[in-house]
Structures are given as structure tokens and as C-alpha cells.
Amino acid sequence: NAGVTQTPKFRVLKTGQSMTLLCAQDMNHEYMYWYRQDPGMGLRLIHYSVGEGTTAKGEVPDGYNVSRLKKQNFLLGLESAAPSQTSVYFCASKSRAGVGSGANVLTFGAGSRLTVL
Amino acid sequence: AQSVTQLDSQVPVFEEAPVELRCNYSSSVSVYLFWYVQYPNQGLQLLLKYLSGSTLVESINGFEAEFNKSQTSFHLRKPSVHISDTAEYFCAVRRANRDDKIIFGKGTRLHILP
């Protein structure tokens, strides 16, 4: 009953370093999302995917890249981390409209706290 | 594009008092609306949703929200709050005819005073 699992939970980077956040879901959901949460800014959509091999830009995509090579995984990459990317990152997933009663409900992971020095 | 405005960043309220958290949306097409709750140090979870039908929707823990199309609002209410309701509440919107992109408001932090 894992749902959405994010790794790592915490990470500290130096400016310019790269890293990848991994999101894994075991609910066979088609759609997956990466949001960032900052004080006073709420949740802002970074990138999302509507299926394996597809990705799309959200509200704040600059400085991030994503990949969805497998249906259950959605990776968020920072090629050259900046202090402005210090945030809590949340992954979420949901099923496609018309597929089950949960089609409109996002399931969130517990979050990944990233600090860029 | 759709957008969501939560007018209050923080709402303090005494325990057992009523509360209303405000949410307004903007969209040129029909929308679905949601309230999510985030308890301290946790991810978000769905509180309630409006898709169609009755404009008043309720959650299992006493919250309710009313969809008002003319005022483009989806305010969240509870007649009597408990200390366990301390959390941040997020309003979210997606277009009814497009189920991929879901946009969240900036959140309202509910402080329950003893």
C-alpha cells in the first residue's frame, strides 16, 4: 500500500551541482506531476506527464527537466542547481478521466526537501 | 488558462468557532474544483471536490464547500473547528474538458486558538 514514494526525502546541494528526484507510484496511474511548494507561493506545477514517454511544461519549468521512461516512475532533474530552487518538491499521480472513481483525485507523495547552498 | 485565488494566507479562529476559507477561480470554461488539506510535515490529501450536480459538497470530517458559478467561488466552511483542523488548505481547479493540468492556489493556513 505504498502509493506515491519520493526519494530522497532530504538533500543539500551546492550551487551548480546536479541531482535527480525520483517519484514512483504503484497505482498504475497514467498521469504524474511534479510541484514545488514555497512559503506564500502555494504549490506550483513544474512539469507533468500524461503517459509513458510524454512530458509537458507546467507553470514554472525553467531549470528543471523530467523523464517518464516507465509508467510508474517520473524523474525530476536539476542540471545546475541554484539557491532559488531551494524548496519542498511534491510528486503526485492520478488516473486518466473515465478510469475508475479516482480519476479526479491526486495522490501525493510525502515530499522531498531540497536545499541549495 | 484557469487560475485560483485564495484571499487569506492565514486565518486564526478559536476552537469550536465557525470558519470560512475563501477561494475564487477564473476560467473561460467549465471547471472542477477541489480542496486539499496538508497537515504539518505531510503531503496533501483530498478534502472534498465538486464535479457536477449538487453545488454543496461535504467531507467526512465536517467541512463543506459550495460551488457558486455566478461569483466564481468555492469557499470552504466548517461550523465548529477543532484543534485537529490545524493545517494548510489548498483550493485547486482543473478544466472540466481537460483532465491533465491541475492548478493550486497559494494556500490558507488555519490556526486554531485554544
Side-chain angles (χ1 to χ4, degrees):
Chain A
N1 196 24
V4 177
T5 303
Q6 295 181 227
T7 53
K9 289 184 170 53
F10 301 94
R11 184 74 187 269
V12 178
L13 288 177
K14 294 181 179 179
T15 298
Q17 286 185 318
S18 63
M19 76 156 296
T20 301
L21 297 176
L22 171 64
C23 176
Q25 53 94 5
D26 61 1
M27 299 169 285
N28 202 34
H29 284 168
E30 289 80 11
Y31 295 176
M32 297 187 74
Y33 303 80
W34 277 108
Y35 291 90
R36 60 177 289 175
Q37 183 179 25
D38 303 289
M41 301 298 291
L43 267 74
R44 291 180 291 172
L45 182 62
I46 304 171
H47 286 282
Y48 63 101
S49 168
V50 300
E52 184 178 321
T54 71
T55 63
K57 294 181 179 179
E59 302 169 274
V60 289
D62 294 342
Y64 304 94
N65 56 75
V66 288
S67 64
R68 183 102 181 265
L69 299 180
K70 294 183 178 180
K71 184 177 183 178
Q72 64 268 33
N73 295 337
F74 194 31
L75 279 63
L76 178 71
L78 287 71
E79 289 188 348
S80 180
S84 61
Q85 295 177 304
T86 293
S87 187
V88 180
Y89 292 85
F90 284 98
C91 178
S93 71
K94 76 178 190 71
S95 55
R96 189 176 65 247
V99 179
S101 61
N104 288 295
V105 179
L106 285 171
T107 301
F108 280 85
S112 297
R113 184 175 295 274
L114 175 65
T115 301
V116 183
L117 303 176
Chain B
Q2 67 272 30
S3 65
V4 175
T5 301
Q6 292 183 247
L7 297 168
D8 305 299
S9 60
Q10 296 188 65
V11 173
V13 62
F14 287 103
E15 196 169 12
E16 298 184 4
V19 69
E20 178 180 82
L21 306 183
R22 296 179 292 170
C23 172
N24 287 90
Y25 69 92
S26 173
S27 178
S28 58
V29 299
S30 295
V31 297
Y32 294 162
L33 293 155
F34 310 85
W35 277 99
Y36 281 80
V37 59
Q38 183 182 32
Y39 298 105
N41 300 311
Q42 294 186 24
L44 281 74
Q45 53 188 283
L46 182 72
L47 187 62
L48 46 76
K49 61 185 178 184
Y50 170 77
L51 305 181
S52 63
S54 173
T55 57
L56 185 66
V57 291
E58 299 177 352
S59 72
I60 59 172
N61 58 352
F63 282 94
E64 64 178 31
E66 186 162 19
F67 171 60
N68 188 319
K69 188 174 181 179
S70 62
Q71 297 186 6
T72 61
S73 68
F74 190 56
H75 301 332
L76 181 69
R77 303 183 183 93
K78 189 170 185 179
S80 175
V81 296
H82 188 266
I83 195 73
S84 61
D85 294 323
T86 297
E88 189 157 17
Y89 293 80
F90 293 91
C91 186
V93 63
R94 59 152 272 220
R95 291 166 56 173
N97 62 351
R98 181 175 169 175
D99 75 332
D100 53 354
K101 190 180 289 188
I102 300 170
I103 301 300
F104 284 81
K106 293 186 177 182
T108 298
R109 193 171 294 276
L110 180 60
H111 294 282
I112 308 300
L113 307 170

